[in-house]
Amino acid sequence: GAVVSQHPSWVICKSGTSVKIECRSLDFQATTMFWYRQFPKQSLMLMATSNEGSKATYEQGVEKDKFLINHASLTLSTLTVTSAHPEDSSFYICSANDRDEQYFGPGTRLTVT
Amino acid sequence: QKEVEQNSGPLSVPEGAIASLNCTYSDRGSQSFFWYRQYSGKSPELIMFIYSNGDKEDGRFTAQLNKASQYVSLLIRDSQPSDSATYLCAVAPNQAGTALIFGKGTTLSVSS
């Protein structure tokens, strides 16, 4: 199947700083990528849909100025968590569609101290 | 609000038994249905997808879809301890290429 990578796999940052997470489709092009967040023992919650060459679409309750998404190419989308706070600590997972199947990246565990 | 419901479990089965995982969804217009397996601390891994009513088999896994009842299930035959994980049911609201709506997952424990 298709491969989606994420970097970094984990990051620890101090409260108030910003963190950038990269999501890449390695062997296919993705005009659309999705960003999910998963808190412990919870399911994946869609944060936003990243569209190549245009603005991302954010789900209700997700602050677009806090979670900046840039989909600069057909293989790369980035999520920047700005002014991170401890409540932003979570598992962030991106995904991309290759034809009819959606493939997930390995996830990035963010811990804000 | 579109919802996907799963029994959180845990579902415990002995090695070699059949594990049955169930899922219901609220949006009658949903088109595609997926089962993902997620190990602790890892990202979801696609097991199967199904679009049409009936059964779809892949190795030890069988997905069953009943659109009239808005119900989808996953059967795991000859369960192995390595099958112990959380199984996520996901539904695509419309055509392919859209974001998935996930259930909270069912935790399966297979004892040896």
Side-chain angles (χ1 to χ4, degrees):
Chain A
V3 177
V4 176
S5 71
Q6 276 184 250
H7 178 80
S9 56
W10 61 270
V11 57
I12 301 173
C13 70
K14 292 186 176 181
S15 186
T17 61
S18 295
V19 173
K20 179 185 284 188
I21 303 170
E22 293 184 349
C23 176
R24 293 181 185 273
S25 56
L26 296 186
D27 48 3
F28 66 102
Q29 294 181 331
T31 56
T32 302
M33 293 183 176
F34 305 100
W35 287 96
Y36 294 85
R37 180 167 54 181
Q38 187 178 34
F39 292 105
K41 300 190 184 300
Q42 299 290 318
S43 189
L44 279 74
M45 295 300 295
L46 179 67
M47 298 177 65
T49 301
S50 172
N51 304 299
E52 189 268 335
S54 65
K55 292 183 179 180
T57 303
Y58 291 81
E59 295 300 300
Q60 190 174 7
V62 178
E63 300 175 56
K64 63 179 181 180
D65 294 330
K66 180 173 181 61
F67 299 99
L68 302 179
I69 291 174
N70 185 357
H71 196 149
S73 75
L74 289 171
T75 60
L76 173 64
S77 175
T78 61
L79 167 68
T80 301
V81 183
T82 63
S83 186
H85 288 97
E87 56 265 32
D88 298 323
S89 298
S90 188
F91 193 41
Y92 291 85
I93 309 172
C94 71
S95 71
N97 282 349
D98 184 21
R99 292 182 283 272
D100 292 345
E101 297 183 29
Q102 190 166 134
Y103 293 91
F104 286 84
T108 297
R109 185 159 303 282
L110 170 63
T111 302
V112 184
T113 61
Chain B
Q1 185 171 347
K2 299 170 183 175
E3 295 181 341
V4 177
E5 299 286 343
Q6 292 181 256
N7 187 326
S8 62
L11 172 66
S12 298
V13 300
E15 183 175 359
I18 296 175
S20 177
L21 305 163
N22 305 315
C23 171
T24 58
Y25 58 96
S26 63
D27 183 7
R28 187 170 289 277
S30 299
Q31 298 291 323
S32 311
F33 307 87
F34 303 81
W35 282 100
Y36 287 85
R37 176 173 61 196
Q38 186 176 27
Y39 293 108
S40 180
K42 300 295 184 181
S43 190
E45 170 193 11
L46 180 65
I47 298 176
M48 292 188 68
F49 60 89
I50 185 168
Y51 301 142
S52 304
N53 277 327
D55 295 358
K56 180 180 179 182
E57 186 174 319
D58 183 0
R60 296 187 296 114
F61 300 96
T62 298
Q64 299 174 317
L65 174 61
N66 184 325
K67 288 187 177 181
S69 300
Q70 296 175 238
Y71 173 89
V72 59
S73 66
L74 179 70
L75 298 178
I76 306 175
R77 290 181 299 281
D78 188 24
S79 295
Q80 301 297 309
S82 58
D83 294 327
S84 298
T86 297
Y87 289 80
L88 301 171
C89 173
V91 174
N94 38 52
Q95 71 261 17
T98 58
L100 303 181
I101 300 173
F102 284 85
K104 291 186 177 181
T106 298
T107 300
L108 172 66
S109 177
V110 181
S111 56
S112 57

